[in-house]
Amino acid sequence: MTSLTSKPKVRWTPRTLTILFFCWLGAMRPSVARHYITDAVRYRLVKRGVPSRTAKHIAAVTAEFEEKAAQGQFQERWFDMNIVPWCVTFPKVFDRADPVRILEIGSWEGRSSLFFLTYFSRGTLTAVDTWAGSDEWHYNATPDLRDLEARFDSNVSSGATRVTKRKGSSLNMLPQLLAEKQEFDVIYVDGSHFSDDAIVDCLNSWRLLKQGGVIIFDDVMWPAYPRARANTAWAINQFLKYHAGEYKVLHAQYQILLQKKHAFVDEIADWVSKPPVPAAISDPSNNGRSREQTHQHQLG
């Protein structure tokens, strides 16, 4: 017999979550839904060599990246699906020689880290990770989980002088970066995919991003949890509503890339920051006159 309080479980897949997410966003964030359609067409054309200049750019970057990646040890290739969108999007904002500051939340083996270091030849990377594995995905390249950090170090060794590691949870590391008043040109948010964690990473990352910078939200469509509210898509939707009008959508597919159009410095209002003027203290022995008024009366 089925309990009256039980609820049917929904099995989310990337396809069903994608449909739900963009139906959800269609009315509220038309620019995201529009990009989802136009970007899908654009990347198919690019893969067929149209336009040729963009296709050549992607081919050159990919060849350079693959040459460096071949010198490392990578068990996973999740990142590679992002090479084309990133190569199409980055030139809209940056030159490859720009000395961009990059923050990466979730570095794992370092494949995306290596791509950043390859694409931006003068870029510097701050990598935030626990390198202790994840409940969402198990490290199985070697039997020893401690090898994950060593593998990252080895895989990014060609650009090691441009890498700073901040070992720990992003929930702890990002507030530290804020306290240090650090700022970044590119931020890649690929940490915990649980919505409560993801929304905190999104909001802290936005504060760390320079005006004109680019933020990348990964795994927007990954259904890691049975409850839709617990997935990354929910966190991203809340972020888009909260910061509406402050960003320009650059790309929307499995990832969402935004450019920060406006950076606000919200200072405390004058009426809050100025101390109140103390009220005059009345003296009951002087017919209700204040002590200051009594003193002036006596002098007169």
Side-chain angles (χ1 to χ4, degrees):
M1 182 175 179
T2 304
S3 172
L4 294 176
T5 59
S6 64
K7 295 182 179 180
K9 292 185 177 180
V10 178
R11 182 176 178 81
W12 298 104
T13 66
R15 183 179 180 84
T16 56
L17 195 60
T18 298
I19 294 172
L20 173 66
F21 183 66
F22 283 102
C23 286
W24 192 9
L25 276 182
M28 294 182 294
R29 302 286 168 262
S31 59
V32 176
R34 184 170 60 251
H35 261 277
Y36 183 76
I37 298 170
T38 58
D39 288 348
V41 175
R42 181 180 295 111
Y43 300 137
R44 287 189 180 185
L45 290 173
V46 167
K47 289 177 181 179
R48 295 183 180 183
V50 181
S52 60
R53 183 176 179 180
T54 301
K56 288 178 181 178
H57 170 70
I58 294 170
V61 172
T62 302
E64 186 179 350
F65 169 66
E66 291 292 355
E67 182 180 354
K68 292 183 178 181
Q71 300 171 23
Q73 291 182 312
F74 293 100
Q75 174 77 10
E76 311 295 349
R77 299 291 192 277
W78 312 312
F79 166 74
D80 292 20
M81 63 185 287
N82 303 314
I83 292 177
V84 171
W86 286 17
C87 286
V88 171
T89 304
F90 286 162
K92 297 176 182 178
V93 183
F94 306 108
D95 291 327
R96 290 191 63 185
D98 288 344
V100 299
R101 297 195 69 219
I102 306 156
L103 173 62
E104 182 178 55
I105 303 167
S107 296
W108 199 252
E109 292 181 310
R111 194 165 179 88
S112 55
S113 313
L114 181 62
F115 183 85
F116 276 127
L117 295 168
T118 301
Y119 190 93
F120 295 109
S121 58
R122 297 175 58 205
T124 56
L125 174 76
T126 297
V128 174
D129 204 308
T130 62
W131 287 285
S134 168
D135 292 336
E136 298 169 350
W137 194 269
H138 298 288
Y139 175 70
N140 56 16
T142 67
D144 189 350
L145 182 60
R146 290 174 296 180
D147 288 346
L148 178 56
E149 185 175 2
R151 182 173 287 238
F152 169 85
D153 293 339
S154 176
N155 287 338
V156 301
S157 59
S158 61
T161 58
R162 296 186 283 134
V163 176
T164 299
K165 288 164 53 179
R166 301 293 290 253
K167 189 174 180 179
S169 167
S170 58
L171 300 179
N172 296 323
M173 293 297 107
L174 298 195
Q176 289 183 20
L177 295 173
L178 284 166
E180 295 166 11
K181 299 188 183 303
Q182 296 211 36
E183 291 184 316
F184 298 90
D185 302 287
V186 178
I187 300 182
Y188 185 26
V189 183
D190 187 22
S192 168
H193 297 91
F194 180 56
S195 60
D196 289 9
D197 296 335
I199 189 64
V200 175
D201 283 347
C202 292
L203 294 171
N204 281 332
S205 294
W206 192 250
R207 295 175 64 190
L208 288 162
L209 186 65
K210 291 181 181 178
Q211 182 172 346
V214 173
I215 192 166
I216 304 166
F217 299 125
D218 192 39
D219 292 320
V220 177
M221 298 305 151
W222 190 38
Y225 300 92
R227 190 167 62 102
R229 159 65 176 74
N231 284 287
T232 314
W234 180 90
I236 301 303
N237 180 55
Q238 299 306 311
F239 174 88
L240 293 173
K241 289 195 295 184
Y242 185 69
H243 282 289
E246 298 179 26
Y247 55 79
K248 176 182 179 182
V249 180
L250 300 177
H251 162 83
Q253 288 284 291
Y254 190 72
Q255 293 183 330
I256 289 182
L257 279 69
L258 308 175
Q259 183 178 22
K260 189 174 187 177
K261 295 195 308 181
H262 303 292
F264 298 100
V265 178
D266 292 310
E267 298 180 350
I268 298 295
D270 290 342
W271 70 270
V272 176
S273 60
K274 291 181 179 179
V277 178
I281 303 174
S282 62
D283 187 344
S285 64
N286 285 280
N287 298 320
R289 289 196 294 265
S290 70
R291 291 174 184 171
E292 291 81 358
Q293 291 172 331
T294 302
H295 179 65
Q296 290 173 358
H297 177 73
Q298 291 171 345
L299 289 177

